[in-house]
Amino acid sequence: MNNALWLPCTQMQALENNPPLHLVKAQGNQLYDQDGNAYYDMISSWWVNLHGHCHPFINAKIKQQLDTLEHTLIASVTHPPILTLAEKLVAITPTSLTKAFFADSGSGAVEVALKMSLQYWQQSGQTQKTKFISLEHGYHGETVGSLAVTDIPLFSEQYKDLIVSQIRIPSPAHIFSPDDIPAQLHEQKSLDALERILAEKSRDICAIILEPLVQGAAGMAMYSANYLLGIAKLAHHYHIHVIYDEIAVGFGRTGTMFAVEQMLALADADKQDDYCPDFICLSKGLTAGYLPMSCVMTTDDVYQAFYDDKVEKGFLHSHSFTGNPLACSAALASLELFERDNVLLHNQSLIQAMAHGLQQLADANLPIKFVRQTGMIAAFTLDFSQNLGKAFAQLCLDQGVMIRPIGNHVYLIPPYCTTPAELGHIFGVLNRCLQKLYDDIPQIPQGSSQAIDLP
């Protein structure tokens, strides 16, 4: 291990006896180590890669941009790629989202949305609005503002003296509900808890922020679009903002380009603008996993609250590499691939293959529970009282499949270049490794586990 390197989300002491995987190249959905061993990247390299590694079309677009303009600030400056990207994002998101503000990371996008919402209310004469609501088990990043709306103590407990306390409501995800409560009833109970808070405190609340459909770092905890519609109705009635953190689920992961589309499809046509979130945070898949970039989509109503002749009323939030032309070119190339290759339609066959693989696991009498899927995200939970996620991941890695369980929650988020046949092979590996895990440790008692490990 290189003594100069300090890795994120890693206990470095653990690497003394278990060196990190050393990757030297990648192609398509496979990663290669220094010995030439290949591994299927079934976590899309921390949920970012969409179309596969070293995609020739994206590579060519970045190389072309590299010879033209590699970087410039965008404070009172623009350049062609960022203008085009902003227009493209406005065109593919709901019609009420007319403005794109760029940042450099998912956490940065969340910070932008929180600050915009707070400043909007301050500049609209409602200075008492200073609080935010978020979901239990939610994750929105690891900067100080984003940690305030994150509910995973592993990330926040050490920094509690820095963090402003915010309001939590129960997660609607069924994996957190009592066993005897149906999913629909559990979601309604979460909405009821929100309504009680809004009835009492809405005048003090800026916004509710949530990961739509899938709470990623909680272990791919899933819930329905009906819950999102319920949130939209309550927020509209009580005049608070809604922030969708689509950082992990945007760009096709849930089966539609954005999760918001599934909520709006349930709403009456004349209410869609009313129920559209005021902010959508995007990152990860925005550049197809190539370069750091994030974006917050928002409305003209929000924009107008900052439009003034006083500098201090502008939105004074910036990142040195905001709107980097190389990142913009990667994002534009990715969006072009969505259109050229009809990616969302193509992914339907992959979604079906993943559903088939999950069903086979569910039917095989293996030690798993909570088998679940939302679009291109498939997950199940190991049914052991001990946290065996890391042991299971190592068994899979030995068979050429890279996964990264969160505690006992195992998930697959494959790149879109993966084929149904490859998914069949990968689910076969999961099946064999589950059986081996079970056979090798028969004395471990079975039961529920809420172990949360690093995502």
Side-chain angles (χ1 to χ4, degrees), residues 391-444:
F392 180 65
Q394 186 59 54
L395 290 173
C396 293
L397 192 67
D398 292 342
Q399 297 298 313
V401 175
M402 177 186 281
I403 59 173
R404 187 180 168 91
I406 303 170
N408 274 342
H409 303 298
V410 178
Y411 65 89
L412 299 182
I413 303 182
Y416 302 157
C417 62
T418 306
T419 67
E422 287 174 325
L423 286 171
H425 166 74
I426 288 157
F427 275 99
V429 169
L430 297 180
N431 191 315
R432 293 192 296 275
C433 291
L434 281 168
Q435 191 63 58
K436 181 171 175 55
L437 185 72
Y438 188 55
D439 290 344
D440 286 353
I441 44 176
Q443 302 306 312
I444 294 179

Side-chain angles (χ1 to χ4, degrees), residues 249-325:
V249 301
F251 301 99
R253 293 297 188 194
T254 65
T256 51
M257 185 62 106
F258 302 109
V260 65
E261 298 169 31
Q262 297 181 44
M263 182 275 289
L264 292 177
L266 300 176
D268 294 337
D270 62 343
K271 290 291 188 180
Q272 290 189 355
D273 283 351
D274 291 338
Y275 293 162
C276 181
D278 304 275
F279 306 90
I280 294 183
C281 301
L282 303 171
S283 191
K284 291 191 182 292
L286 174 59
T287 65
Y290 268 74
L291 290 160
M293 175 178 265
S294 63
C295 182
V296 176
M297 305 299 298
T298 191
T299 66
D300 193 61
D301 176 58
V302 170
Y303 176 80
Q304 289 299 326
F306 295 79
Y307 196 82
D308 198 275
D309 59 0
K310 298 181 179 66
V311 172
E312 62 270 24
K313 284 198 169 183
F315 188 57
L316 305 182
H317 180 108
S318 61
H319 299 266
S320 299
F321 289 94
T322 295
N324 173 261

